[in-house]
């Protein structure tokens, strides 16, 4: 069971981290896992046990699993038992390898009525408004009149509200007891309908304030009717990526996580990272306002540019990871697949250019109050300082494979049975401490072969 905690040193002031039922502070590091290509009988077949075995072998403990309402309920009122069993099979793989899973109700450009995935065609109402595809700029399709009106109907029509709530009762009722399930992402990248005279930031804040807040509260009630324990992840519109603070209001549930995405319009269009533009700084200021006000944790649900090998991308990954790790309880890169495009690794399973920076030492669980938690990518040194809790629990440190291996030093009344990690091996180091002890764990590169 995961529960909120008060803010602690080493985490941005005012934003609480995630903790587990033993009071340990949790950090999630991982990737999205998806199959957008296959539908019907072939749905989810592109996701295999290898995804979770390989994630864990690189030290990751988190997967955001994309599921689609149009596959779950292809006809109104008929839920696919086969699709639910396929999700459960994926969850069993995740459990086997110790990976937490976030169930993401994904949509892109609303759904199949517009050539994408997400909300079923039977739940798509356009009032006859036009839709023109944009094959070279799919995000522009969100601004087509038919797509915008479909979102309005989803938010406002009583029968569609009820259908969406029933869908979530089916998912949560079936999956909530699975030990791999961490939370539910209630809808991916929600958008809406702009009004005449509104600019995009104004429209986004209104949609978030007036429509998304109400939707999330409805869906929270639906989930809680069958599952009172699992985290609820809520997203703003993607406009937060332009440094626009969300207009979301309070979600009346004790286990809410704010889950923005971390994308830049210029970089998504092919531009290189410009460190002097201040985008990461403006994004961090925008996404931390809501969790500071409402005292909820942050987990960034998607991030990572398509053109990851441009000249400034090494700097981007360094800057982005420092920022993400400063205020969030975790993140999921986009996307764990084998090949080109956004894929994290190539066909041979090797990290693609610059994405190897995501695999670094971190502490998935700290049994105490964190004072310092940082990885220096230059020296490849990781340092964790904490005051051990009064409860009996181990602190866990995840170390990815390294050509030199790792050396672990523990200072204070604490101990570990793992002092070295061999080259090219991932490991989870468990540190036990005397209650109330001040503990420092230092991880350095080992001796190269």
């Amino acid at each position: 069971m995961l529960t909120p905690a008060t803010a602690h040193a080493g985490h941005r002031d005012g934003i609480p981290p995630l903790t587990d039922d033993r009071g340990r502070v949790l950090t999630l590091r991982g990737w999205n896992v998806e199959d957008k290509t296959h539908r019907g009988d072939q749905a989810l077949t592109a996701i295999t046990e290898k995804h979770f075995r390989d994630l864990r072998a690189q030290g990751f403990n988190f997967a955001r699993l994309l599921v689609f309402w149009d596959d779950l309920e292809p006809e109104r009122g008929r839920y696919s038992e086969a699709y639910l069993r396929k999700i459960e099979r994926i969850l069993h793989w995740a459990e086997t390898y110790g990976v937490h899973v976030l169930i993401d109700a994904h949509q892109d450009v609303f759904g199949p009525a517009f050539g994408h995935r997400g909300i079923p065609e039977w739940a798509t109402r356009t009032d006859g408004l036009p839709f023109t595809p944009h094959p070279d700029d799919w995000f522009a399709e969100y601004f087509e009149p038919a797509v915008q009106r479909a979102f309005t109907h989803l938010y406002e029509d009583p029968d569609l509200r009820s259908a969406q709530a029933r869908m979530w009762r089916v998912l949560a009722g079936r999956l909530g007891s699975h030990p791999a399930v961490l939370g539910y992402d209630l809808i991916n990248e929600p958008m809406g309908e702009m009004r005449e005279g509104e600019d995009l930031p104004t429209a986004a804040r209104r949609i978030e304030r007036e429509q998304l807040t109400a939707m999330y509260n409805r869906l929270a009630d639906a989930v809680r009717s069958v599952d009172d324990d699992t985290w609820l992840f809520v997203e703003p519109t993607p406009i937060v990526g332009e440094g626009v603070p969300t207009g979301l209001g309070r979600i009346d549930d004790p286990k809410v996580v704010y889950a923005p995405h971390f994308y830049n319009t210029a970089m998504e269009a092919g531009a290189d990272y410009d460190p002097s533009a201040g985008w990461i700084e403006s994004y961090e200021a925008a996404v931390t306002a809501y969790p500071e006000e409402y005292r909820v944790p942050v987990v960034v649900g998607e991030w990572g540019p398509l053109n990851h090998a441009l000249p400034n991308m090494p700097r981007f990954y360094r800057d982005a990871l420092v920022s993400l790790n400063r205020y969030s309880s975790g993140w999921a890169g986009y996307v764990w697949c084998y090949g080109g495009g956004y894929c994290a690794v190539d066909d041979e399973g090797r990290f693609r250019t610059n994405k190897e920076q995501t695999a670094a030492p971190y502490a998935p669980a700290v049994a105490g109050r964190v004072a310092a938690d940082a990885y220096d990518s230059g020296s490849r040194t990781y340092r964790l300082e904490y005051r051990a809790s009064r409860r009996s629990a181990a602190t866990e440190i995840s170390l990815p494979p390294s050509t030199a291996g790792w050396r672990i030093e523990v200072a204070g009344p604490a101990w570990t049975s793992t002092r070295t990690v061999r080259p090219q091996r991932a490991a989870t180091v468990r540190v036990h401490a005397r209650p109330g002890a001040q503990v420092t764990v230092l991880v350095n590169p080992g001796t190269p072969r």
Side-chain angles (χ1 to χ4, degrees), residues 74-321:
E75 298 176 16
R76 186 163 191 162
R78 182 177 71 82
Y79 297 97
S80 171
E81 175 65 22
Y83 192 62
L84 289 165
R85 287 198 301 268
K86 289 180 179 181
I87 297 172
E88 288 174 326
R89 180 179 62 180
I90 291 170
L91 293 176
H92 292 330
W93 293 332
E95 180 187 8
T96 297
Y97 295 100
V99 175
H100 297 294
V101 175
L102 173 62
I103 303 292
D104 162 41
H106 205 84
Q107 67 80 31
D108 292 316
V109 194
F110 205 77
F114 306 111
H116 296 273
R117 303 298 312 281
I119 291 113
E121 291 192 63
W122 59 260
T124 304
R125 297 172 182 168
T126 67
D127 296 338
L129 293 175
F131 170 74
T132 301
H134 297 260
D136 296 326
D137 183 11
W138 66 269
F139 193 80
E141 295 175 353
Y142 275 111
F143 302 98
E144 285 293 312
V147 175
Q148 297 208 337
R149 184 60 52 84
F151 276 106
T152 296
H153 282 293
L154 178 68
Y155 301 146
E156 302 297 341
D157 290 11
D159 63 324
L160 294 184
R161 289 180 175 184
S162 296
Q164 189 184 26
R166 284 195 301 272
M167 180 271 291
W168 265 114
R169 283 196 292 271
V170 169
L171 274 179
R174 180 66 171 262
L175 306 176
S177 61
H178 197 288
V181 174
L182 167 82
Y184 310 119
D185 195 333
L186 297 176
I187 187 171
N188 176 71
E189 295 185 352
M191 291 286 279
E193 188 168 7
M194 296 178 67
R195 293 174 179 169
E196 186 174 355
E198 282 185 327
D199 61 16
L200 187 54
T202 301
R205 291 177 64 87
R206 173 186 54 79
I207 291 164
E208 291 160 342
R209 182 177 63 252
E210 297 179 4
Q211 294 176 316
L212 297 189
T213 301
M215 179 189 67
Y216 287 141
N217 277 299
R218 287 194 302 272
L219 297 182
D221 289 343
V223 169
R224 294 301 177 226
S225 70
V226 294
D227 179 351
D228 61 1
D229 187 55
T230 305
W231 286 98
L232 304 179
F233 285 57
V234 299
E235 298 188 31
T237 66
I239 311 308
V240 71
E242 300 307 306
V244 179
T246 184
L248 274 178
R250 182 178 300 280
I251 312 304
D252 295 321
D253 191 275
K255 300 191 71 174
V256 170
V257 177
Y258 184 54
H261 292 179
F262 180 36
Y263 292 122
N264 172 262
T265 301
M267 290 168 63
E268 289 302 294
D272 200 356
Y273 173 55
D274 179 2
S276 67
W279 170 64
I280 289 178
E281 294 82 358
S282 65
Y283 175 88
E284 181 173 332
V287 299
T288 53
Y290 182 86
E292 287 174 343
E293 179 178 359
Y294 291 103
R295 303 286 297 153
V296 297
V298 180
V299 174
V300 172
E302 289 186 25
W303 74 284
L306 174 62
N307 296 324
H308 53 88
L310 295 172
N312 286 334
M313 285 301 165
R315 171 74 180 272
F316 168 74
Y317 275 89
R318 290 194 298 272
D319 291 353
L321 287 164

